Amino acid sequence: MLCVVFQSQRCWIDDTFCKRECIKFIPACRDIHSFSSLPTPRCCCGRLVGEHTWLETDPFLSRWPGPQAVQEERWSVECHTQASATDAYGTIDFQDSTERNCHAKYVRVAVDAKAEALLQLMLREWQMERPKLLLTVHGGAENFPLPLKVRQAFSKGLITAAQSTGAWIITDGINTGVSLYVGEAVKAYGTNGRRKRNAVGVTPWGVIDNHSDLIGRDVLRPYQPLRNPLSETVCLNSLHSHFLLVDDGTLGKHGCQLGLRRKLERHIQLQKIHTRVNQGVPVVCVVVEGGPDIVSMVLDYVSSVPPVPVFVFEGSGRAADLLAFLHKQTAMDRCVNYFYIYKTQITIFDSESEDQQEADCAILMATLKGTKASPAEQLSTALAWDRADVANKHIQVYGQYWQVGSLEQAMLDALIMNRVGFVKLLIDNGMTMNRFLTVSRLEELYNTQQGPTDNFLHHLVEDVKQNHIPKGYRVSLIDVGQVIEYLIGGAYRSTYTRKHFRAYYNRLHTHRTVCERSGTSINRSGTRLTFHIQMDLKEAQQQSSKLGDSSLVVFNFNDLFVWAVLQRRQQMALFLWQHGEEAMVRATVACKLYRAMAHEAQQNNMDDNTTEQLKTYSLEFGQLAVEVLDNAFRQNERMAMKLLTSEMEAWSHFTCLQMAVSSRLRPFVSHSCTQMLLTDLWTGRLNMRKNSWFKIILSILMPPAILLLDFKSQADMSHVPQSHEALQFIWDTGRPEEGQDVEKGSACWERISDPEADTVIPVTTPCLFWTRRLYEFYNAPVVKFMFHTMSYLAFLMLFSYTVLVKMEDRPSTQEWLVIAYIVSTAVEKIREVFMSEPRKPSQKLKVWFGEYWNVSDFLAIILFLVGLVLRWHSGSYQTAGRITYCLDIIFWYVRILDLLAVNQHAGHYLTMITKMTSNMFYIVVMMAIVLLSFGVSRKAILSPDEAPSWSLLRDVVNQPYWMMFGEGYPDEIDACAEGKPCAPGAFLHPFLQAVYLFFQYLIMVNVLLAILNNVYFKMKFASKKLWMYNRYRYIMTYQEKLWLPPPLISLIHMTLCVTAIYRKHRGLSEKERDSCRLKLYLGREELKRLHEFEDRCVIAYFHKKKQDVLCSQIHRIRATAERAEEMGLVIGEVSERVHFIQDRLQVLDSQLGQLQVLSALAVDTLTLLSASDSLQQKEAHLGHCRPIAHSHHHSPNSCTLPHIDITPCHTPKAYSSTPPSLLWGHTSRSHPMEKNNLMRLAHTIPFTPVSIIGEEVSVYSLEEVEAAGAESSVISWSPRGLSAVLQPLSSEGCLDGALRRAMRMLCTWAEGDVLSVGCVYVVKSFQPKVIRTWQRVFHSDTPLQLCLREIQQQRAAQKLMHVFNQVKPENVPLSPRFLDVSLLHCHSDGQWLTIERNMLGDFRKYNNNSGEEIAPCCGMEETLLAFSHWTYQYSCRELLVLDIQGVGSELTDPSVIRADDKSLTGDMVFGPANLGDTAIQSFVLKHTCNSCCKNLGLSGGMKLPLKHKDTDQFSFFSP
């Protein structure tokens, strides 16, 4: 399938895009008259005659009519080129970087290609993201220097603007000029991904270097962007991601791409910037440097329709600076009228200005300003860019006029496009959710997907409705409410599913349908409507508008927050969480929703990334809730506890603590604030610290002792939630007095009975009435627990007595008490189910059975009732009933564990046991499988004649089960022992039992123990938090229990029945029944203060978080790095200025030196003219010539060298012009008449001149002179050394060898052409240990003697290589060569060295001076190894060139091995690396002839060197 897609892409590209080829030869104008004299005339297209494709079918001369006809016909693309299917597209693999993998898409297109097809190619085939901005960069095509500040502003600003807005960058795509700077910007500030770079190069096909390598259809082509400096072609920049190679049939001509590029820009400008925004894609032209054509191009951009804004970087040079000057001049005096018209479309960016904004903001602001769009359109464009900073600074300013509804539409777009910054901006500027949010907008938000595969909400709706919904189904708010209830579960009821909202929603939907139908009838019948229809339509529209703005449903941030959570927009949800009230409960709601969504995603087998993402979001909001609670607890403990249990009307009247428990947010429930609140709930109003259990038991047994207990005041209990019934029971001990006190008392009673009043907490008094004390004591959860526990233990004693003694035909008194206890308990369980919070019976049962102990109680009650029915019968039924009692009592004894869970110490172990039981399930199943496999086979082998019965199952499991615990049954292992009859196959039983015990006892049991041990150590640290989390359930269980235990609880049940009948007769509302839950009811004022406190806590939390970030180590390191970067920029600017001053000083010094020479010549000329007689003229002439004769070097000391005679001179020549030594103050060697005018001028300069660093040296070179009457030439040293100045460079790698040290040096000045100024050379000197070794041979001038022999050695190898290149056959195409080496004399320390040109590239060594060589893998390696073999054969086994090394075909530092060369003697001809016969013998043994050796005709076997052979013919130096 994938191959078919690729094939269709190839066919589409072949059918859509073309190339251009010249089909008629028309010589260029300069070649017309000299056509006959030119060997290869060139066409106007830039190609030679032989490069035209039609030459093979049509002779050239027949297609050229002559010079006269050519003058009348001009070459053009339309007439003289032919279009054919493109033959070059695919992917370029750039080979110029090892740090990053640079690939780029490319295609060769004709100059007249359609812009629509190009855009389709880029979007569909190349999968580029749709642009939201187009940055077209123009400037100089040739390399030019860019100031550091301008370069940094351009690079950072361009890439930041492109990446933050999703822009495309369009350049020429070449590796020079402004395109090169764009590539460097992408490398410095961009990303590695090709799809995120979006840097498009529009390049002429004919000017690309080696463009023929790119020919191929859908291919991957390696490309090396290295061009010849003398070539007119250009290379592609490797940092661009896509290339459009424009072909107009020409070769080597620039400019053909500009028309297609402009056409593509216009077409992109017509595209929509976003699906929700009507504006087109903005285009901005960025100008850096450039020539005269840039000025005309800028005028074309600003004068086009619609205009294209231009952004100019001032200080980049040439055209950019000219435009900046004209712009500033126009601003001052409007001198250029034509330029003044388009002044607003041109923006000048001065990077040197102190108050200049960031370059990316300036580019975007220039784009918005240049398009002349309205503020609403500019806001939409900035919204599509997601640049809220630009909108905040330049669009959303004070005093800006906005059309009605524009900001609401912008808010809707920002929410749908997930632009958090813009939502914050609009909210800060006065956007209110109550006015913005409507039913239609909320439904539009819920029905907008983030991507083509984002249908998670639809899956949830399907799960709720339990049926499949169609593809275009529109989710309603009622569906959303059902999804919220489904995810949160329990008794939660969403606002969207309540009756009043459903009625409002149905009326709104009905009137909207009426309006749509009426509008349709208007369209069909025109204006012919009856009066009644018009009135009905008007009334429907008015009622619909009233419903739309109705106060029945007020939306706020909570609705948007839930939308963001359900749509999985985490950043938007985090932002909306900060706005509005009830931040802590919203965090727990989000935690619950995300956790439930993660569970649903896992159940629906979605990808693991979605599940893990939702779990991460849940943990993030859970951590927010815990941190806000902790911050509030530190500020005010009592207010923090009120936040936990205050009723949240917007969240189904839930409390924050309820939602946290529902979310299983264990850190929240185990927090100190929550635990303190639970402790207060557990003890109620009892104020006991020591011996609390004893006091409670004593008070239960002796009720008068209750009056002696201490109780908390109402102020101490203000943060503790209470039920509505408890509030109704409150009254004071003192009786209300007449008059005003009575009114106050009645008013207080009204406030107590109405939870919606301003306050519900009564006036406190120092003491409580005795009835109030009894009520508070018996309604405390701890008292209920003790009372029920005592009753339960008594029940267990009676039940145990009942099952242990003989059962009579009729129940005894003890059994009747047990029956009463269990029946009253069953009635209480039924009451708990019907009094639970969920509305539907099915939900009530689901919530109730979700508790483990409720299931246990249900089974115990059912089993007891079954036993009770059976015991009333006689005989076996009664026996079965008694056995049922015996089994049922197990459940009631296990129920004691739940009572122990209340204790802090015992609760930890119960938590561990529960966790161990759940974890050991699968291993127990595996053990059961092993047990059954052995038990069945054992029973079948030992009892083959067993009759069918239920006892078979017992026999299969019985003995194998006890074997796990060590019971081996040794008597039954060998069934045939002692002559007993045994079944066939019984001999297998011992083997099977051994295998079973090995696996079951040694492996499975130990694995089970290991798992339990692991669970124990894990739960040892987490069990306390788990117990704290479960503590809420224990306390809430006894908080909701009735205070009398069974069976006395039946009295309360009868009271409740009578009360319920009475309330039903009164018609108690649903709202009053809801108020019976355990919540903290607060008045409006106190609730307002509580919300203000929560807001302060949230603000303090974010402030603390911000301070933590600022004080963090990472922030400090980042700030230090930014400061270091700023200091680096400053130092770079100073360094540039210093180098600039140095260059100016050098130029000034050179000019002063020339003036000095001219003045000396003028003085000499005047002296000659003023001489009156011949003697004076002769003396003047001699005086003039004497310095010239003095300028020659004195005769050097002669140095003896075999076959070489060189007489170097230590005295440097006198300069005919001022040497650079004047800059260093070496005036002792200058002519007496010369003066350093520059140094004298420096005293008048207000700053200290910078000295030029360098070393003055003399260079001696070998010269080749033709011998008289001889065919050969004679090589000798130059008679005098030429001066030069070298500056040392820091070397990144080690250049030293075993014998010599090396250093790279830069030539800053040279006399004549002895060295090239600006080039890097390598200077080599011998190691001190080598010099000390050879001082025994050469007592004087040891370094000089060694350098001369090294140079002679390389010269010999150079001559041999020259002969080798002449005699090698044609099938050996490579021609390597050795570098030229010169002798160097340093004036400062008198040291002798060698100097050669520095080689760039991968330095390799092919063999060494001991004869070892590498295994060749290419033609160059084979050629060089064959060269060593050839030198040995060519010299008749006297000479051998080894130690061949270098870069590519350039070689250096060879070792010429001579057979009879004497080491450590003065007769040594070549360098100290000569190992003589040892090296030759090693080479003969180790060399392996390759294909190049065979092509040279060298024999496979080599002989050892000859002795005492005359070698004069191999002397390469003349004496």
Side-chain angles (χ1 to χ4, degrees), residues 238-256:
S238 61
L239 277 306
H240 285 63
S241 59
H242 304 83
F243 289 95
L244 298 176
L245 309 180
V246 184
D247 186 12
D248 64 343
T250 62
L251 184 66
K253 296 185 178 182
H254 295 264
C256 66

Side-chain angles (χ1 to χ4, degrees), residues 3-179:
C3 297
V4 174
V5 174
F6 287 156
Q7 189 69 24
S8 63
Q9 292 178 358
R10 291 183 57 180
C11 295
W12 181 83
I13 294 177
D14 292 338
D15 297 339
T16 306
F17 299 104
C18 303
K19 64 178 181 178
R20 286 280 179 178
E21 293 180 345
C22 180
I23 59 174
K24 188 172 183 180
F25 181 83
I26 300 179
C29 296
R30 62 179 181 271
D31 297 337
I32 293 177
H33 299 287
S34 58
F35 176 77
S36 58
S37 60
L38 290 176
T40 54
R42 190 175 296 273
C43 180
C44 289
C45 67
R47 292 180 176 84
L48 299 175
V49 178
E51 295 176 350
H52 286 73
T53 56
W54 47 262
L55 186 62
E56 299 178 358
T57 58
D58 196 357
F60 158 66
L61 294 178
S62 63
R63 299 288 294 269
W64 187 65
Q68 300 297 329
V70 172
Q71 290 181 356
E72 297 177 357
E73 185 177 7
R74 298 181 61 86
W75 191 92
S76 64
V77 177
E78 295 79 7
C79 300
H80 303 106
T81 60
Q82 182 180 6
S84 58
T86 183
D87 59 351
Y89 60 89
T91 305
I92 300 177
D93 182 13
F94 289 98
Q95 305 289 324
D96 63 333
S97 177
T98 58
E99 299 178 358
R100 49 196 296 171
N101 188 13
C102 296
H103 287 178
K105 293 286 187 179
Y106 76 97
V107 64
R108 178 184 181 183
V109 298
V111 70
D112 55 350
K114 295 182 179 180
E116 297 85 353
L118 292 176
L119 185 59
Q120 182 179 357
L121 168 73
M122 300 165 79
L123 293 178
R124 297 183 182 179
E125 306 299 332
W126 289 351
Q127 299 296 318
M128 296 179 65
E129 296 179 358
R130 187 173 295 274
K132 299 181 180 65
L133 175 64
L134 194 63
L135 299 170
T136 174
V137 184
H138 291 276
E142 299 294 332
N143 290 327
F144 57 89
L146 203 60
L148 179 62
K149 224 169 191 179
V150 179
R151 182 168 69 249
Q152 186 186 15
F154 168 73
S155 302
K156 187 175 182 179
L158 183 71
I159 301 304
T160 304
Q163 290 184 347
S164 62
T165 60
W168 288 2
I169 303 175
I170 296 183
T171 68
D172 288 337
I174 58 179
N175 207 25
T176 58
V178 68
S179 301

Side-chain angles (χ1 to χ4, degrees), residues 663-885:
S663 305
R664 297 184 180 180
L665 191 55
R666 293 171 183 171
F668 188 91
V669 181
S670 61
H671 193 270
S672 300
C673 179
T674 309
Q675 293 301 310
M676 287 179 63
L677 178 63
L678 292 178
T679 301
D680 292 337
L681 283 172
W682 178 247
T683 59
R685 296 196 71 170
L686 295 177
N687 190 9
M688 293 181 294
R689 296 182 179 178
K690 297 181 179 179
N691 302 322
S692 58
W693 299 102
F694 173 75
K695 293 179 181 179
I696 292 172
I697 295 174
L698 182 63
S699 300
I700 291 173
L701 298 177
M702 301 177 61
I706 299 174
L707 302 178
L708 303 178
L709 298 176
D710 293 333
F711 289 85
K712 300 175 184 177
S713 64
Q714 188 66 30
D716 295 334
M717 297 294 294
S718 61
H719 63 282
V720 179
Q722 297 179 3
S723 63
H724 189 69
E725 294 179 355
L727 292 176
Q728 289 180 339
F729 194 80
I730 295 174
W731 62 79
D732 298 329
T733 56
R735 294 190 179 277
E737 299 178 358
E738 296 180 358
Q740 188 176 2
D741 292 337
V742 175
E743 294 178 359
K744 290 182 179 179
S746 61
C748 178
W749 177 258
E750 290 177 0
R751 290 194 296 269
I752 290 173
S753 62
D754 187 6
E756 299 296 330
D758 291 339
T759 179
V760 295
I761 299 176
V763 180
T764 59
T765 55
C767 59
L768 297 175
F769 197 55
W770 67 271
T771 54
R772 174 74 180 279
R773 286 175 175 265
L774 292 176
Y775 180 84
E776 294 294 346
F777 175 79
Y778 284 109
N779 278 278
V782 63
V783 176
K784 294 180 182 179
F785 170 75
M786 293 301 301
F787 206 172
H788 283 75
T789 301
M790 294 168 59
S791 174
Y792 190 77
L793 294 178
F795 156 74
L796 281 180
M797 293 173 62
L798 293 175
F799 199 4
S800 301
Y801 176 81
T802 301
V803 298
L804 289 175
V805 300
K806 181 181 178 181
M807 180 176 288
E808 301 294 339
D809 294 337
R810 291 290 178 261
S812 62
T813 304
Q814 296 85 358
E815 186 175 356
W816 278 114
L817 290 175
V818 171
I819 293 171
Y821 187 97
I822 295 179
V823 171
S824 60
T825 301
V827 175
E828 173 62 16
K829 295 298 180 181
I830 295 173
R831 187 195 69 85
E832 289 180 2
V833 171
F834 283 97
M835 293 301 294
S836 59
E837 293 180 342
R839 299 298 178 129
K840 298 180 180 180
S842 59
Q843 292 181 350
K844 290 177 181 291
L845 292 174
K846 182 179 180 181
V847 172
W848 192 81
F849 279 108
E851 190 68 37
Y852 167 75
W853 292 113
N854 290 335
V855 176
S856 176
D857 292 343
F858 175 78
L859 294 177
I861 293 171
I862 295 297
L863 191 61
F864 179 82
L865 295 177
V866 172
L868 180 62
V869 172
L870 293 175
R871 67 103 49 227
W872 286 101
H873 297 79
S874 60
S876 59
Y877 287 102
Q878 188 178 13
T879 304
R882 185 180 180 278
I883 295 174
T884 305
Y885 277 4

Side-chain angles (χ1 to χ4, degrees), residues 529-636:
L529 288 174
T530 62
F531 175 76
H532 299 286
I533 295 178
Q534 292 179 354
M535 292 299 295
D536 293 341
L537 176 60
K538 184 176 182 181
E539 182 180 357
Q541 290 177 348
Q542 290 178 356
Q543 192 169 0
S544 177
S545 63
K546 290 181 180 179
L547 287 172
D549 299 331
S550 176
S551 61
L552 294 175
V553 179
V554 179
F555 299 104
N556 51 25
F557 281 102
N558 293 339
D559 300 274
L560 268 186
F561 175 74
V562 173
W563 163 80
V565 172
L566 293 179
Q567 292 287 345
R568 297 179 297 165
R569 305 190 180 203
Q570 178 70 353
Q571 296 303 320
M572 184 68 72
L574 289 173
F575 167 75
L576 294 173
W577 174 79
Q578 305 174 28
H579 291 76
E581 299 172 345
E582 304 169 352
M584 193 158 60
V585 70
R586 282 190 293 163
T588 57
V589 168
C591 179
K592 174 62 177 178
L593 290 175
Y594 275 133
R595 184 183 293 273
M597 291 164 65
H599 177 73
E600 291 297 323
Q602 190 172 9
Q603 292 295 322
N604 292 332
N605 296 325
M606 292 187 178
D607 58 323
D608 295 336
N609 293 332
T610 302
T611 305
E612 293 299 325
Q613 185 186 50
L614 291 172
K615 289 181 180 179
T616 303
Y617 293 165
S618 176
L619 293 176
E620 190 171 354
F621 271 107
Q623 185 65 24
L624 276 177
V626 174
E627 291 177 354
V628 172
L629 176 63
D630 184 70
N631 197 0
F633 183 67
R634 291 180 181 179
Q635 294 190 24
N636 193 323

